[in-house]
Amino acid sequence: MEAIVYEEFGGPEVLRHATGVAVPEPGPGEVRVRVAAVGVNPVDWKRRYGWVEEFYPTTFPAVPGLEFAGTVDAIGEGVEGSGEGSGEGFPGLAVGDEVLGWTKTGAYAEYVIAGIVAPKPAELSWGAAASLPVAGETAQRVLDLIGVREGETLFLHGAAGVVGSVAVQLAVAAGITVVGSASESNHAYLRELGAIPVAYGEGLAERVRAAAPDGVDAVFDAAGHGVLPVAIELLGGEGTADKRRIATIASTDAAEYGITFSGVVGDPDAVRAALTAQARQAVEGTLAVRIADTLPLKEAARAQELSESGHVRGKLVLLP
Ligand SMILES: NC(=O)c1ccc[n+]([C@@H]2O[C@H](COP(=O)([O-])OP(=O)(O)OC[C@H]3O[C@@H](n4cnc5c(N)ncnc54)[C@H](OP(=O)(O)O)[C@@H]3O)[C@@H](O)[C@H]2O)c1
């Protein structure tokens, strides 16, 4: 099969477009999917550099990519008809079903062994489906972690990024006021989503206070870039701030500030249920991921370079 493979850590040049890669065989309790579209995530190039080994250890040769959408192509023993005894639990899945979710074998490939998957509604495009799992799960996980509720005010750093924009939509739908930081060029987009935009950089805390004069109840850092001292200041300063109400997915120095870095996908059954619901919301038009561009799989290195630039407007999608 066709796949993107790398055998050492490094820049985009270590990615090789290979043909003739062995198609993975589903073992007992496993499901194989023929991939229709792949979502590119910043963690794909962070892994390629070897920066996130403590969370995602790499075995070479490695195939990048966490999320995909595609069609179930083969199922291992103990899967068909019921999740019972399937190990991973794929309730009711059969060959030919369209799914979206996570892979255990690397998504930049024609075939993958599925991790957690949910049914893909027929009306959802392949690209939209492949763009949803990571952003949807991460956004919901962090909103739950910081316990932000209806009537409260959230500061969301990096609100126009893929994860940030999904978090804005989920929070606004839950009756939360969102102040979101983004580049100037994304402010109109944030207003459309229902957030109050502010520019990041010098003076960020003052701008957030001006946008939320009654104060901020919780902070979600979806961008990093040294924002944690600002987050603490917004919640009353060191010694006063309730740090359980701050979480980051991007600042790897979180522990130095006593702040939680959230990086682990939640309970599989809950994640599958949430992804199923989010896929329905995407069809109904109440939850959307912007797609920045769609590229052929062999241009994976270029897609990762674009992602690394830090200002792509939406999800990059690869098509095998
Ligand atoms: N821990 C986890 O579970 C987890 C899961 C998913 C993602 N992540 C991480 O979360 C981050 C966002 O992921 P994503 O998929 O949403 O990426 P993305 O769509 O590329 O978004 C990147 C964001 O960073 C912002 N940004 C760029 N330069 C900045 C700066 N100097 N100061 C402040 N913000 C800046 C961008 O804002 P503008 O576009 O408005 O300039 C944009 O909002 C990445 O670091 C990713 O690795 C972690």
Side-chain angles (χ1 to χ4, degrees), residues 40-46 56 66 134-135 137-138 141-142 157-165 181-186 200-201 221-225 248-251 261-265 290 306-307 309-315:
V40 173
N41 283 282
V43 76
D44 300 350
W45 49 264
K46 292 180 184 179
Y56 300 108
L66 296 178
V134 169
E137 189 278 333
T138 308
R141 166 171 26 101
V142 176
H157 186 56
V162 176
V163 176
S165 63
S181 65
S183 297
E184 209 72 47
S185 60
N186 279 321
Y200 48 63
D221 167 25
H225 298 279
T248 178
I249 58 166
S251 297
F261 179 94
S262 176
V264 179
V265 174
R290 278 196 298 189
L306 287 169
S307 171
S309 76
H311 304 283
V312 174
R313 302 182 78 174
K315 184 69 89 175

Side-chain angles (χ1 to χ4, degrees), residues 221 224-233 246-248 251 253-255 257 259:
D221 167 25
H225 298 279
V227 80
L228 296 183
V230 174
I232 294 167
E233 189 188 333
I246 307 173
T248 178
S251 297
D253 57 353
Y257 295 95
I259 287 171

Side-chain angles (χ1 to χ4, degrees), residues 135-150 152 154 156 163 166-168 170-171 174 176 217-221 243-249 260 262 264-267 270-271 273-275 278:
E137 189 278 333
T138 308
Q140 192 61 62
R141 166 171 26 101
V142 176
L143 292 173
D144 290 346
L145 183 66
I146 56 179
V148 62
R149 300 177 290 274
E150 183 175 3
E152 290 192 325
L154 171 70
L156 217 167
V163 176
V166 170
V168 169
L170 297 174
I176 294 156
D217 300 294
V219 179
F220 180 166
D221 167 25
K243 293 183 180 174
R244 293 169 302 183
R245 307 224 63 199
I246 307 173
T248 178
I249 58 166
T260 302
S262 176
V264 179
V265 174
D267 167 69
V271 168
L275 183 56
Q278 289 176 349

